[in-house]
Amino acid sequence: LTFVFWEPVRHTLAARWISDGNWSHGWLIPIFSLYFLYTHRESLMRSVPNPTLWGVPILMASLGVFFWSAWWARMAYPQALMIVPTIIGLVLLMGGWNVLKVVWFPVVFLALAVPLPHRTYFELTTPLRILASKASAAILPVLIPGLHTDAQAVVIDYIRPGMPPGQLNVEEACSGMRLLMAFVTLGIAIAYLGDRPVWQRVVLVAACLPIALFCNIVRVTTTGYLSISGHRDLAQGTAHQLLGLAMLVLALGLFSLLGYVLSHLFVEAKGEE
């Protein structure tokens, strides 16, 4: 299996983690998975192995999809993704359902490390860029009196008294997809490790999307404000990258605030003595 998956891991996973900043967090996901296993090591040691042949069809189906995508369909994404069901099949074949109940999440979590195909990723970023441009076009006139904006797809046309008309273009890097993927990965990890009821974990994971979108709108609006107000040097280069890091801090702060609210939403009532 190491021989079979060596090329997908090297070319599809590691290469994208190194060259594509949108997936640079991929290196951390296997480390997280190992940490998840470590935190549940006692449950894993108590699990009585009960190998089952159900692992055989899962293993064969996973390898079948792998070779189909490698030789016939020529698609890299399914090849790398098949690592996850292959491991599940091996766990069932060697440890059975008792072991799978303990390790299923660390194994499935590995799927977040598989980069999406370039075309799919671009199709997902387009609506996010449009959302960010429309939201920023609505907010900027509130921050800059006299400003008139009009959002056309990913381009914001603006007119300010005393200045020539201008345009702001929400680039693909500012779609928020990078922040969304990294924050969803981190949010799922925090929700899994936290000692919370299942419904609170579901709420935390579901909140990752709106929090990431909100933070990206703040980032795009701030960049637009700096550009229009004459501080274009702060809207690009190192300053722009630092702004992106600040949005991650903001997202983590909002996520922590939501966790605090959920923890104090209900108060356990004490019975009368």
Side-chain angles (χ1 to χ4, degrees), residues 4-5 8 61-71 75 78-80 82:
V4 169
F5 286 104
S62 302
L63 293 177
V65 173
F66 172 86
F67 289 114
W68 169 80
S69 59
W71 293 342
M75 295 187 298
Q79 296 178 48
M82 285 304 104

Side-chain angles (χ1 to χ4, degrees), residues 28-38 105-110:
L28 299 176
I29 293 179
I31 298 176
F32 278 154
S33 293
L34 292 175
Y35 179 72
F36 295 155
L37 289 176
Y38 177 77
F105 183 85
V107 174
V108 174
F109 190 75
L110 292 173

Side-chain angles (χ1 to χ4, degrees), residues 140-195:
L140 284 173
V142 179
L143 302 177
I144 304 177
L147 181 70
H148 297 278
T149 60
D150 182 29
Q152 299 292 336
V154 299
V155 177
I156 302 175
D157 297 310
Y158 67 87
I159 300 176
R160 187 180 184 185
M163 294 180 59
Q167 284 186 336
L168 299 174
N169 187 11
V170 180
E171 300 290 343
E172 182 179 347
C174 295
S175 65
M177 195 65 180
R178 180 184 304 183
L179 174 64
L180 177 61
M181 295 303 299
F183 190 62
V184 167
T185 300
L186 185 59
I188 292 175
I190 294 175
Y192 174 74
L193 293 174
D195 186 15

Side-chain angles (χ1 to χ4, degrees), residues 222-223 226-227 231-243:
T222 304
T223 302
L226 293 173
S227 298
H231 302 284
R232 190 173 293 272
D233 56 323
L234 298 178
Q236 56 188 358
T238 303
H240 186 64
Q241 294 178 357
L242 292 176
L243 179 60

Side-chain angles (χ1 to χ4, degrees), residues 1-18:
L1 290 176
T2 301
F3 173 77
V4 169
F5 286 104
W6 177 254
E7 289 300 316
V9 169
R10 188 162 65 95
H11 290 291
T12 304
L13 298 183
R16 288 283 297 276
W17 295 344
I18 294 174

